[in-house]
Amino acid sequence: MSETIRLDYRDDYAVVTLNRPERLNSFNAEMHETLSARLDDAAASSARALLLTGEGRGFCAGQDLQDRNVERGAGEPDLGDSLERYYNPLIRRLRGLDIPVVCAVNGVAAGAGANIALACDIVLAARSASFIQAFCKIGLVPDSGGTWILPRLVGTARATGLALLGEKLSAERAEAWGLIWRCVDDDALSGEAHALARHLAAQPTSGLALIKRAFRGSLHNTLDQQLDLERDLQRAAGRTVDYREGVAAFVEKRKPVFKGR
Ligand code: LHQ
């Protein structure tokens, strides 16, 4: 049986591929459990960046609506349980990773699939890809952090329109709205995403982890609290081997070699 989640290592970064293309990489319980295990593996490895992508013509169509456990279980389904058990830990996991996470959205990203992509640090999308907050079409609420991240990325008016209408948002418009970092030609997506992951993995990744922590704090902090946080994080950054190397390389007019420490 082929793995529903593939984990590969390239240079200093890990590549996680959602691999149920016949169902547009929609999630069932097995896939969630395998993804969780593969993220454990990647986090325990020496990888200094993570690239998440999908196999086939879709990135991820969210929950597998044909999954027996969700749709045809005994009695009324408890979708809250599904979120508690699978989706919420996944989003917390992706948001909490210290290493930079690049998402290459190779095709449609619908329902939870869209919000899993948006939980990543840098989202690239193929020009033919699209984002659909499909939840409203089946009577559900955007989950996987959608109601939290969408208004923060695109403002309340656009977030509300996306969530209430469930219309397909093209990758080009997603870029124009600031939902994602960049939209690239389909045949350039893989090359650009790998180049970005490779680049990030060679950077002072302990510093990048502190930058991620600063932005996480800024989502709820006052300016005063954020200034204090910046002071604390800069203090930590200033004590890294990579900071010393960065300054030394600048002064010596050479290329720095960062270790992520
Ligand atoms: C699928 C799916 C799919 C199964 C395509 N499931 N087979 C969390 C907690 C618990 C429960 C509920 O939900 C959640 C969070 C959520 O994610 S809710 C939202 C779930 N996702 C959706 O509602 C999206 C459903 N899919 C679609 O609307 C379309 O498939 C999109 C717009 C994504 C793509 O459309 P097309 O490009 O026209 O492809 P297609 O519809 O022909 O799909 C290709 C195949 O993939 C097809 O199978 P078939 O055997 O007919 O070739 C689909 O049935 C299957 N597929 N999404 N979520």
Side-chain angles (χ1 to χ4, degrees), residues 22 24 26 57 61-65 70 79 82 112 135 140 143:
E22 68 285 1
L24 298 183
S26 57
R57 72 176 179 87
Q63 170 65 39
D64 183 335
L65 297 175
V70 174
L79 302 190
S82 174
F135 309 88
L140 294 184
D143 60 27

Side-chain angles (χ1 to χ4, degrees), residues 21-24 26-27 57 60-67 70-71 79 82-83 87 108-113 132 134-135 137-138 140-141 143-144 168:
E22 68 285 1
R23 293 236 175 269
L24 298 183
S26 57
F27 273 93
R57 72 176 179 87
C60 174
Q63 170 65 39
D64 183 335
L65 297 175
Q66 297 189 33
D67 187 21
V70 174
E71 293 302 306
L79 302 190
S82 174
L83 295 187
Y87 290 91
V108 64
I132 312 176
F135 309 88
K137 294 184 176 174
I138 52 170
L140 294 184
V141 176
D143 60 27
S144 304
K168 184 184 279 196

